[in-house]
């Protein structure tokens, strides 16, 4: 039986990052991954035509570039060949009648375009940006801190000392707004209001859900300040580089090996059992990059009923449908050819449309007019396709996990294998409305349904691309299961949890992996 200091279940980026920190501390570490390759929701491949490399799930890697893990390991990852491409045209929104709003990696250019649309919107954007600049250092510091922790308490104290109690309360009020309230507070037109609200639906914040303003507040301006980045050559190269660096530090990576149980002795986690009967021992810790349902419903037996019920009630948001397009040319946006140079283009069009599509998806209905997040990958990284060709990444938000009907009344299918093609046709018809001639440029496309997403990564339960709802009852201190199940510890001594189900949640942020490893190391030091 092989024995290690620590075993990490799951080779998603947070699992790899946790393993890397432990290995750097001198621990012997093994990562055990069920799939044939590491990465989880960071993957890419030629799913349409040869030579067209598509990011299958996560694509915008700004959070990783701004993470503590990248600060610690970025130089080594670069040495191992990991490179990023960044566009100075991060995102835009398109609207009926050939109208659009654009945000550039340039404050003056962005304000000039907004002012041409509405001077009041430009003024609101500038004022909200000033708020962001005041509070961003505190927000990002809290985002990178465990909750609760001494570091988080000290950062709140710094915030109150520097901005005053009234300033801190103003920030709290803004963060607790819904995305509709955020837009209506700062912007005059429904176009600018939609520009803010679209970011909320990247997670599961419909326009009228309280607490939805935090992510849009960060994304509106972080992308303005930094541009938008993708991994050169394909997203898979990020986890591959993490795994290679782990091996350099003496760690091991085992793929194609599924863990189906956590071994315990005297109430403490001491290893794992795999589906083929292999047993791996862990002297000091087991770290699971899974969701609470999988942890307490599959990997652990003899779990108290109240804990099992609490884990089963961990909430997942509505699902995502993904389309990957191989294109013979750039998308011909009606609002201007230059839109083909932007990293993301949102087609909602308006806040009420976002509210409607969310309600339809939650009711089990295929939305009549869902949000399209169009990722124009080759605008950022031309290496993804042959010369003159392009790839596009379409995230369709939101759709139901289980289909009860169709909001438009034209699709009769109630299973995703049957509904995939007619729903893809609806999505492409909407794209055609905003980019006339797009259909003629599609050489081939691939559809990944919510079932496909969960099959590829069981943490995406029901096809929830965010790995668990971020609504207030299970966010911040309450993630994943409330008090007593936070701080990356679990109900079992020596067993820790990381990944999107833990703070700070979804996104390629590497933060929970880093914080979980820090917790493991602190606990081990106390036990000595």
């Amino acid at each position: 039986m092989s024995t290690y200091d620590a075993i990490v279940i799951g080779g998603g980026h947070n699992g790899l990052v946790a393993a890397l920190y432990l290995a750097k501390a001198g621990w012997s570490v093994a990562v055990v991954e069920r799939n044939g390759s590491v990465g989880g929701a960071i993957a890419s491949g030629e799913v349409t035509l040869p030579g067209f490399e598509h990011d299958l799930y996560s694509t915008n890697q700004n959070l990783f570039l701004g993470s503590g893990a990248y600060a610690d390991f970025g130089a080594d990852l670069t040495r191992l060949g990991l490179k990023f491409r960044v566009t100075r045209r991060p995102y835009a929104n398109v609207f009926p009648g050939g109208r659009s709003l654009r945000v550039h990696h340039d404050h003056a250019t962005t304000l000039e375009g907004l002012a041409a649309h509405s001077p009041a919107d430009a003024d609101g954007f500038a004022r909200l940006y000033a708020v962001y600049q005041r509070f961003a250092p505190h927000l990002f510091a809290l985002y990178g801190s465990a909750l609760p922790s001494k570091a988080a308490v000290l950062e709140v104290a710094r915030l109150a000392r520097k901005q005053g109690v009234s300033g801190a309360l103003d920030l709290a009020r803004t963060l607790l707004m819904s995305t509709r309230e955020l837009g209506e507070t700062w912007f005059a037109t429904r176009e600018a209001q939609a520009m803010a609200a679209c970011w909320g639906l990247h997670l599961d914040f419909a326009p009228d859900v309280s607490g939805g303003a935090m992510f849009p507040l960060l994304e509106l301006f972080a992308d303005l300040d930094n541009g938008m980045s993708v991994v050169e050559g394909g997203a898979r190269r990020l986890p591959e580089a993490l795994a290679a660096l782990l091996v350099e530090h003496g760690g091991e990576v085992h793929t194609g090996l599924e863990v189906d149980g956590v071994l315990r002795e005297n109430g403490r986690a001491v290893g794992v059992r795999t589906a083929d009967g292999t047993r791996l021992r862990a002297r000091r810790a087991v770290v699971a990059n899974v969701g609470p349902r999988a942890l307490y419903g599959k990997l652990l037996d003899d779990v108290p009923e109240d804990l099992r019920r609490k884990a089963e009630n961990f909430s997942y948001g509505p699902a995502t449908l993904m389309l990957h397009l191989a294109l013979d040319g750039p998308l011909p946006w009606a609002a201007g050819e230059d839109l083909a140079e932007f990293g993301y283009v949102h087609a909602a069009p308006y806040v009420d449309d976002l509210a409607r599509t969310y309600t339809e998806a939650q009711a089990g209905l295929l939305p009549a007019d869902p949000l399209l997040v169009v990722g124009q990958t080759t605008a950022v990284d031309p290496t993804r396709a042959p010369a003159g060709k392009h790839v596009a990444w379409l995230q369709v938000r939101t759709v139901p996990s289980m289909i009860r009907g169709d909001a438009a009344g034209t699709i009769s299918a109630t299973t995703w294998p049957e509904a995939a093609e007619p729903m893809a046709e609806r999505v492409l018809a909407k794209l055609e409305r905003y980019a006339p001639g797009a259909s003629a440029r599609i050489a081939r496309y691939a559809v990944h349904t919510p079932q496909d997403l969960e099959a590829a990564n069981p943490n995406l339960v029901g096809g929830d691309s965010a790995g668990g709802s971020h609504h207030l009852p299970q966010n911040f201190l309450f993630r994943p299961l409330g008090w007593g199940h936070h701080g990356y510890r679990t109900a079992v001594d020596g067993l820790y949890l990381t990944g999107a189900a833990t703070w700070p949640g979804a996104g390629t942020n590497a933060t929970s992996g880093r914080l979980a490893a820090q917790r493991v190391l602190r606990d081990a030091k106390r036990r000595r």
Side-chain angles (χ1 to χ4, degrees), residues 176 216 231 284 505:
L176 290 174
V231 179
R284 307 173 86 170

Side-chain angles (χ1 to χ4, degrees), residues 150-349:
K150 181 180 179 180
V153 171
L154 290 175
E155 190 56 45
V156 171
R158 278 192 289 268
L159 168 62
R161 185 170 60 252
K162 187 171 182 179
Q163 306 296 341
V165 174
S166 62
L169 290 175
D170 284 344
L171 174 63
R173 177 179 178 274
T174 299
L175 297 182
L176 290 174
M177 287 180 174
S178 69
T179 58
R180 187 191 296 273
E181 291 166 337
L182 180 72
E184 290 180 348
T185 298
W186 295 96
F187 301 121
T189 71
R190 57 178 184 162
E191 286 82 11
Q193 292 163 7
M195 182 177 69
C198 283
W199 286 111
L201 225 58
H202 279 246
L203 299 179
D204 62 327
F205 286 108
D208 300 298
V209 176
S210 293
M214 179 175 176
F215 187 67
L217 179 63
L218 295 177
E219 283 290 347
L220 280 171
F221 301 116
D223 290 337
L224 167 74
D225 285 346
N226 302 311
M228 185 175 289
S229 62
V230 301
V231 179
E232 183 179 292
R236 61 181 172 81
R237 298 190 178 187
L238 194 163
E240 288 173 356
L242 289 170
L245 186 57
L246 174 61
V247 171
E248 280 194 1
H249 281 278
E252 297 180 10
V253 178
H254 302 276
T255 57
L257 195 60
E258 183 172 6
V259 172
D260 66 2
V262 173
L263 304 176
R264 285 180 287 174
E265 292 178 2
N266 300 319
R268 179 175 174 80
V270 294
V272 302
R273 181 188 65 247
T274 66
D276 67 359
T278 302
R279 289 174 176 248
L280 304 174
R281 298 281 296 186
R283 285 185 289 260
R284 307 173 86 170
V286 175
V287 181
N289 186 8
V290 301
R293 291 187 188 179
L295 182 68
Y296 293 112
K298 174 186 175 184
L299 298 182
L300 292 169
D301 52 17
D302 299 325
V303 173
E305 184 58 32
D306 61 337
L307 177 55
R308 190 183 300 277
R309 187 180 304 112
K310 184 178 287 189
E312 186 61 31
N313 288 334
F314 181 80
S315 177
Y316 288 88
T320 292
L321 180 72
M322 295 296 306
L323 271 69
H324 302 288
L325 312 184
L327 300 167
D328 287 330
L331 290 172
W333 296 103
E337 291 183 1
D338 68 303
L339 277 175
E341 300 172 5
F342 281 75
Y344 277 172
V345 176
H346 290 128

Side-chain angles (χ1 to χ4, degrees), residues 462-522:
D464 174 8
S465 57
S469 173
H470 290 68
H471 291 181
L472 291 177
Q474 64 176 44
N475 206 348
F476 303 103
L477 288 170
F478 307 111
R479 198 168 187 88
L481 302 179
W483 193 258
H485 301 277
H486 56 278
Y488 312 101
R489 292 185 178 124
T490 72
V492 176
D493 188 30
L495 177 62
Y496 299 82
L497 193 65
T498 189
T502 63
W503 169 258
T508 310
N509 51 61
T511 301
S512 73
R514 178 176 62 85
L515 294 175
Q518 290 173 354
R519 169 58 63 191
V520 172
L521 293 169
R522 284 196 299 270

Side-chain angles (χ1 to χ4, degrees), residues 378-403:
T378 36
V380 190
D381 177 17
T383 72
R384 300 297 193 89
K389 309 293 184 179
H390 293 268
V391 297
W393 172 99
L394 268 66
Q395 187 183 64
V396 184
R397 296 285 290 156
T398 57
V399 299
S401 298
M402 304 293 291
I403 303 170

